[in-house]
Amino acid sequence: MTYTAIVPMKAWDQAKSRLHADPHVRRTLAEAFARDTLAAVLACPEVSDVVVVTQGDLVVDHVRAAGAHVIQEPGDRSLDTLGSAIRHGIAWAGEHRPDVPVAVVPSDLPALTPDALGELLREAATHPFAFVADANGDGTTILTSRSPELMRPGYGPGSAERHRGLGAYELVAPGALRQDVDVLIDLAAAERLSLGPHTRQAYADLTADEASALSR
Ligand SMILES: Nc1nc2c(ncn2[C@@H]2O[C@H](COP(=O)(O)OP(=O)(O)OP(=O)(O)O)[C@@H](O)[C@H]2O)c(=O)[nH]1
Ligand SMILES: C=C(OP(=O)(O)O)C(=O)O
């Protein structure tokens, strides 16, 4: 069973505001999380197409070179920007791969690995609609459905409860699939699990001043 993966990816200079870091550090980390997440999704044997939805020009160049499809979000979007980005991805899947299962994979999972994702997607395929709660338990990382038509994204604060309410089955998943990075403490938790190579390098490359400002 293969999947269409939909990866929402904010422009790197706009992403990860809750890290409360210097703009250069924030952008560098956001880019590294996104590159590691995308590399893991592209290398996952259960994924046949990867669709990245973004407004970022640099993201577009990287994503095309990496071998994924790109959907550029229109500028005039509703307030629910993550939801509308995902809906663009679902529309692509509905048009091009209507009978293929779908997985939404946010681009802030730097500990994600192709094998862990593959195992999860095989388990998810036994449920019409399913989700993975984030490491805190209140949010959602990965959301899956057996077809684009069955996908009901409810991302945003408190989304685990919302996805349960929408009938999604809660998948048991290892930390690598649950550890999104929203705030600094999440980065330390992802490091304990094992960071992807881009994030490991970006973290190691922080100057002593940047690292100490980040942890303050
Ligand atoms: N294409 C697109 N992706 C988004 C949008 N909002 C969030 N995302 C992506 O969805 C994932 C989960 O979103 P968040 O955890 O809120 O990440 P974020 O918006 O970068 O972080 P904050 O600025 O701290 O809210 C991240 O990988 C983001 O890149 C959006 O408006 N458009
Ligand atoms: C988008 C979500 O949350 P966060 O921004 O906290 O990752 C979510 O969990 O649905």
Side-chain angles (χ1 to χ4, degrees):
M1 179 77 72
T2 58
Y3 279 74
T4 303
I6 297 169
V7 181
M9 196 179 287
K10 253 189 187 173
W12 295 324
D13 57 355
Q14 307 285 316
K16 293 295 130 198
S17 57
R18 282 169 287 166
L19 286 178
H20 296 300
D22 162 272
H24 166 72
V25 170
R26 187 161 54 78
R27 184 207 173 287
T28 302
L29 290 172
E31 174 175 350
F33 303 160
R35 284 179 183 261
D36 282 331
T37 307
L38 182 62
V41 176
L42 281 165
C44 176
E46 307 300 326
V47 173
S48 46
D49 287 281
V50 181
V51 181
V52 173
V53 189
T54 190
Q55 276 196 319
D57 293 335
L58 290 173
V59 175
V60 170
D61 292 346
H62 169 70
V63 166
R64 288 223 173 97
H69 305 278
V70 181
I71 298 176
Q72 287 197 262
E73 294 171 81
D76 57 332
R77 294 177 301 160
S78 66
L79 287 175
D80 174 16
T81 51
L82 174 55
S84 74
I86 292 169
R87 282 190 290 277
H88 283 296
I90 297 168
W92 185 97
E95 187 179 341
H96 298 275
R97 307 282 187 268
D99 302 320
V100 174
V102 177
V104 177
V105 185
S107 55
D108 58 353
L109 301 172
L112 188 69
T113 65
D115 287 350
L117 180 60
E119 197 170 320
L120 180 92
L121 294 180
R122 285 190 291 279
E123 160 69 11
T126 64
H127 305 281
F129 184 37
F131 78 104
V132 175
D134 70 7
N136 298 329
D138 38 328
T140 302
T141 56
I142 295 166
L143 187 66
T144 67
S145 66
R146 222 174 252 160
S147 70
E149 209 186 343
L150 293 173
M151 179 53 83
R152 301 277 178 274
Y155 282 90
S159 62
E161 197 49 45
R162 198 157 39 253
H163 286 133
R164 263 182 223 110
L166 287 166
Y169 176 85
E170 184 166 354
L171 296 159
V172 175
L177 298 165
R178 302 185 61 200
Q179 191 60 66
D180 53 0
V181 179
D182 294 323
V183 294
L184 191 58
I185 197 172
D186 297 330
L187 187 52
E191 191 184 25
R192 287 194 292 275
L193 288 165
S194 174
L195 295 172
H198 295 99
T199 306
R200 201 181 321 128
Q201 190 66 53
Y203 211 12
D205 285 349
L206 292 180
T207 63
D209 283 353
E210 286 169 341
S212 94
L214 191 59
S215 58
R216 244 180 266 138

